[in-house]
Amino acid sequence: MKDNAFGPISGSTILNGVSGKKAIVMAANVRIAAVAKGIFQAAKDTDSAVIMELARSECDLKGGYTGMTPKDFSSKMNAAAQAVKFDVWALHADHITIKKGDAAEVEGTKQLIDAQVQAGYTSFAIDASHLFNFEGKTVREELEDNIRVTTELARYIKSRMNNREFGLEVEVGEIGRKDTGGLILTKPEEAVEYIRALNENNVFPHALAIANGSTHGHTYDALGNVVEQLSIDIPQTKAIAEALRKNKLHVGIAQHGITGTPRELINLHFPKGDIIKGNVGTFWQDVAFNTFKIYEPALYKEIQDWTLEKYRPLNPGKKDRQIFDGNCKMAIKEFYKQIYSVEEATEQAMVAMAYAESLLFFRAFGAYGSALAVRKSSQ
């Protein structure tokens, strides 16, 4: 499939390879790189395809809030895959987010894409879902700016990849957006019109992220305690997938915001095959920080104190637990040197924890053996 036996392969190869199968490919947002080795080892032992990703906010030209540039992230993920010797994975640019859609923002985004391509990324997610015209008289008019910017950036990626295959994810409906009635869900007709318009522009995504009740990160109760996320609307997700199929639009659904969703619910109720990519992000950060609590208590306290001191004034009325959980990701860049110079035993514990948790995710996603399916499909 590739010259470098353990380097990343195209996201299109992976997503096309699982097409038609009752499987979801896990996409892991690895904010603290040590967990990657555990994820890769579990992927190898279960022969599960996997995608390693970071969003624009997490990893950009200035390091995002993880402290990693695209080159840094690529280097760390390639090293982990090489150490484990696992071959069916993609390097994905999650949430290349566009919020204004003006010329300056688009140009800055192209510079980020240049860096990602140069770093060896094999898959990209354009997120222009924030560009929504509430005064549009038709669905097409409401989505016009999203379609325009997504088309321009998809064409740019294609030109920069220089005829190399790549995975493409796009987004309709902003994840976690609310109005007075609660979370706003993507309608089947919006998904159909969006993908149809992109196809008309000769843009053919492999995955579509939708707003179906999920939110990024943790969900909290009124007292600020973390609760299980049970808000993902399964019937709506199935309806969107069915509408896409009926209209002969060949794209699977990317499920965002899985952290906090009980894995037994994923295992029993997620429509595998309709959903083909499942993003797990904050969960892996939790694995690292929970390990620090035991193995690096002084470092953990430093991170905790810094986060609360900085973000408590910005979150009046919230409990410390919620303030820390919601903002500790911002400490990763601040404590980058300490995090990447922890004791070997700490790193081994993070790897072991990530390994065990990945086994459960791969099982719940129906992903065991999916790497073999990818290998066969690309022969």
Side-chain angles (χ1 to χ4, degrees), residues 234-283:
I234 300 298
Q236 184 82 346
T237 304
K238 290 180 178 178
I240 290 170
E242 181 61 24
L244 291 166
R245 269 194 300 273
K246 280 185 176 178
N247 286 276
K248 300 187 180 346
L249 299 169
H250 303 291
V251 59
I253 291 172
Q255 179 63 60
H256 290 217
I258 287 177
T259 293
T261 305
R263 279 172 290 200
E264 62 270 23
L265 185 152
I266 296 170
N267 185 42
L268 295 174
H269 300 296
F270 267 35
K272 305 177 183 91
D274 289 345
I275 298 173
I276 60 170
K277 175 177 179 280
N279 289 17
V280 184
T282 303
F283 187 96

Side-chain angles (χ1 to χ4, degrees), residues 112-126:
L112 174 62
I113 289 168
D114 285 345
Q116 291 166 340
V117 170
Q118 193 169 15
Y121 280 57
T122 60
S123 191
F124 305 83
I126 303 167

Side-chain angles (χ1 to χ4, degrees), residues 185-219:
L185 304 184
T186 299
K187 300 179 182 69
E189 56 267 29
E190 290 174 332
V192 168
E193 191 65 21
Y194 182 59
I195 294 299
R196 181 181 285 140
L198 291 176
N199 286 179
E200 288 170 3
N201 292 343
N202 206 31
V203 173
F204 296 92
H206 307 96
L208 172 66
I210 59 173
N212 64 349
S214 68
T215 58
H216 291 118
H218 290 297
T219 304

Side-chain angles (χ1 to χ4, degrees), residues 162-202:
N162 196 24
N163 295 321
R164 297 193 303 278
E165 288 290 320
F166 62 93
L168 179 63
E169 178 181 335
V170 295
E171 188 159 330
V172 61
E174 184 184 334
I175 306 298
R177 184 162 64 87
K178 297 181 181 180
D179 61 12
T180 54
L183 289 165
I184 300 173
L185 304 184
T186 299
K187 300 179 182 69
E189 56 267 29
E190 290 174 332
V192 168
E193 191 65 21
Y194 182 59
I195 294 299
R196 181 181 285 140
L198 291 176
N199 286 179
E200 288 170 3
N201 292 343
N202 206 31

Side-chain angles (χ1 to χ4, degrees), residues 39-54:
I39 296 169
F40 276 129
Q41 190 63 58
K44 181 178 181 179
D45 290 351
T46 61
D47 208 29
S48 299
V50 68
I51 294 171
M52 309 303 272
E53 64 181 26
L54 283 179

Side-chain angles (χ1 to χ4, degrees), residues 19 33 73 80 88 112 119 132-133 152 163 182 203 247 271-272 316 345 371 374:
S19 179
F73 182 58
V88 183
L112 174 62
F132 188 88
N133 179 11
E152 181 176 350
N163 295 321
V203 173
N247 286 276
K272 305 177 183 91
V374 172

